[in-house]
Amino acid sequence: MSTLSDLVDAQGRLNDADVEWLHRLAGDGQLLADLASADIVMWIETADGSFMAVTHSRPSGAATLFYRDIVGEKVRPQWRTQVQSAFESGEIVDSSSPDWFEETPTRVRAVPIKRKHDGGAIVGVITRHTNLGEARMPSRQQISFDECANDLFRMIASGEFPDLAAPTAPRRGAPRASDGLIRLDVDGITTFASPNALSAFNRMGFDDELEGESLAEVTTRIVPPSRQVDESLPVVVTGRAPWRTDMEARGVTVSLRAIPLKDHGTRIGAIVLCRDVSELRHQEQELITKDATIREIHHRVKNNLQTVASLLRIQARRTRSDDARDALTQAMRRVESIAVVHDTLASGLSQTVDFDEVFDRVLKLVAEVAAAPNTRARTQLEGRFGVLPSEYATPLALALTEVVTNAVEHGLAGQEGIVRIEATRTSELLTVTVTDTGHGLPEGRVGQGLGTQIVRTLIQGELSGTIEWKGTEGEGTQVTIAIPMRWIAA
């Protein structure tokens, strides 16, 4: 399905500021549809002078007129004159008589979308399609919602809505009209509160009626003095700024969003949307706590592993057997490579690892081997590994530590050379090739050592991959590891 940006860019008639304005307005398309109990369609002018639908919002509490998606379609003949008139005049144009759509009587209103800056250019048109076939005696809530919708339509036509000062990406659980709506006058006095809005405040400890009360004073009474509140709360509950915030009392958290209402620049009141988000915020807090716990676990595991590595290093220095010293040193290096992965996981919320960062640190561990007498090894890394899940990052880091260590310790022993590591990642396979310019493979040595057996177990057993050694004595060795991407989360 095409996005708003795709559809607008295809016409090439609007600049970036115009597109941003349309994006902001499209974000409130559902709010307009719910308040108006009507389908809301946004139109932009096309290269041939017609109009194309770029967004469509269906009402949550009323029947939609358009059961099929009309986004991407040209304006229909019965609406074109009305849309064209609103676009050219910059005025709201209402249909003079009921418009019939698929045997359903409708009322259509065309609202020009004015971008207040740059002289108030008209960048598109919004149409409101009201289903008259289900007309019934409107409730007080429906009348209040309709009045709020008309105020917003007038603000759209005058370039006062949307407000670019309002935050964009709303926090999870952003309130909608059906969740609770409070209408304030210019002094911040509640003139209407929907049943859901009243219920939300009742759960926070307010037992009276909201209508006729100052919402700011009500908030002051129900929020405990000892509780620290968001500094934006006062401007939200007075309706003076287009902002969002949360308020909490009696263990209940209510999300608030204020939309100031203006008439040609003069503030005339505000809409305050509210929603009980107690469960959502509780879930978010649990996730934050779990993330912090997981990070702390990784941090402690890393510290414990480093302690083990230090003990192995001390033991290696004190042993008199060369074979024992070599075995302890290798064990120390393996433990440290695992600690690197846990250290990386401890620094973030995700359970995935930027393996390029991990492997850079692993190569530094291998440098200790390169410092052996009469051995001068240089490592070269080409390509990128990308992001891997932690359960695969650990065995891969350990396997590559073994492969690169063997290349330096055995392939380049007593000489100068290069170890080249090349990583290639496609949608189906991660391939890592380790090549050295050293002694090469003596006959029958592949697969005999403990390190080689460890690598086979890690790559084949834990990662369902393959590993292959190629080399000729005196001409260097090449090790190729291939891991299927179906085992790796992108």
Side-chain angles (χ1 to χ4, degrees), residues 247-265:
M247 62 178 293
E248 184 178 351
R250 286 190 170 183
V252 176
T253 304
V254 173
S255 178
L256 301 173
R257 178 194 175 187
I259 304 174
L261 299 176
K262 298 179 181 179
D263 184 6
H264 295 89

Side-chain angles (χ1 to χ4, degrees), residues 344-376:
T344 304
L345 287 169
S347 64
L349 294 175
S350 175
Q351 289 303 296
T352 58
V353 180
D354 181 352
F355 197 77
D356 296 288
E357 176 185 344
V358 171
F359 193 63
D360 283 342
R361 297 174 64 180
V362 168
L363 282 180
K364 293 178 181 178
L365 296 176
V366 178
E368 296 180 13
V369 179
N374 303 320
T375 300
R376 296 182 60 189

Side-chain angles (χ1 to χ4, degrees), residues 76 115 193 204 263 273 293 299 385 434 476-477 481:
R76 301 195 178 190
R115 189 167 73 84
M204 288 190 293
D263 184 6
L273 304 176
T293 302
H299 179 71
F385 293 90
V434 180
T477 305
I481 296 172

